């Protein structure tokens, strides 16, 4: 027999709330772990961009900059300055292959639209 919320006993309601609380805690733990993994990949990417591709500056923007906006679909958005043009596509190819868990987007702030450039300059976190 199917029960609606009004048919549940107080014990069943309590059990449901406890189960929901545990599910929400697991979700928070998963997102925190994913957030930390994303930052690890972003730092690895920035090191590679500085060391191998001579980037002048690398900044994280988008949902990774603030855990409150990070979710299970979040990607890694990197703004990169100073890569020589002849190395740019090789750098992008290498960076996007760093992780199978995250999509990595690389933006050259000098070549993007003004509104995105302003967001990157205002909210980006240099790494």
């Amino acid at each position: 027999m199917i029960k609606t919320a009004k048919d549940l006993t107080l014990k069943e309601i309590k059990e449901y709330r406890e189960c929901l609380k545990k599910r929400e805690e697991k979700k928070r733990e998963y997102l925190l772990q994913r957030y930390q993994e994303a930052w690890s990949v972003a730092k690895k990417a920035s090191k590679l961009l500085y060391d191998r591709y001579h980037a002048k500056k690398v900044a994280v923007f988008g949902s990774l900059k603030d855990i409150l906006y990070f979710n299970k679909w979040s990607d890694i958005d990197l703004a990169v300055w100073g890569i020589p043009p002849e190395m740019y596509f090789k750098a992008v190819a290498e960076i996007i292959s760093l992780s199978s868990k995250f999509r990595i987007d690389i933006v050259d702030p000098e070549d993007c639209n003004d509104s995105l450039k302003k967001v990157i300059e205002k909210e980006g976190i240099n790494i």
Side-chain angles (χ1 to χ4, degrees), residues 8 15 32 34-36 38 41 68 72 76 82 84 92 95 99 110 123:
L8 296 175
E15 288 172 357
L32 177 59
R34 185 167 164 79
Y35 181 76
Q36 291 168 340
V41 171
L68 294 175
K72 66 182 181 180
I76 298 170
V92 169
I95 296 304
S99 175
E110 303 304 320
E123 300 175 8

Side-chain angles (χ1 to χ4, degrees), residues 17-32:
R17 287 182 178 159
E18 288 172 5
C19 182
L20 184 61
K21 190 185 287 186
K22 286 179 185 175
R23 189 178 322 148
E24 288 298 313
E25 182 59 33
K26 280 186 177 185
K27 181 180 173 185
R28 279 190 296 277
E29 288 171 5
Y30 167 78
L31 283 176
L32 177 59

Side-chain angles (χ1 to χ4, degrees), residues 45-60 78-88 91 106-110 120 125-127:
S46 71
K47 180 170 180 18
L48 192 63
L49 290 164
Y50 285 121
D51 294 348
R52 192 173 297 168
Y53 296 101
H54 315 293
K56 303 294 183 222
K57 180 177 166 185
V58 179
V60 168
L78 299 174
V80 183
W81 291 260
I83 294 178
E86 66 275 8
M87 298 176 90
Y88 184 79
I106 298 177
V107 173
D108 180 347
E110 303 304 320
I120 292 168
I125 298 172
N126 295 338
I127 58 173

Side-chain angles (χ1 to χ4, degrees), residues 69-110:
Y69 299 110
F70 191 81
N71 63 59
K72 66 182 181 180
W73 300 285
S74 289
D75 61 1
I76 298 170
D77 297 308
L78 299 174
V80 183
W81 291 260
I83 294 178
E86 66 275 8
M87 298 176 90
Y88 184 79
F89 290 109
K90 187 176 181 187
V92 169
E94 189 165 358
I95 296 304
I96 64 174
S97 69
L98 284 177
S99 175
S100 60
K101 289 185 176 184
F102 299 98
R103 179 176 156 194
I104 304 173
D105 295 324
I106 298 177
V107 173
D108 180 347
E110 303 304 320

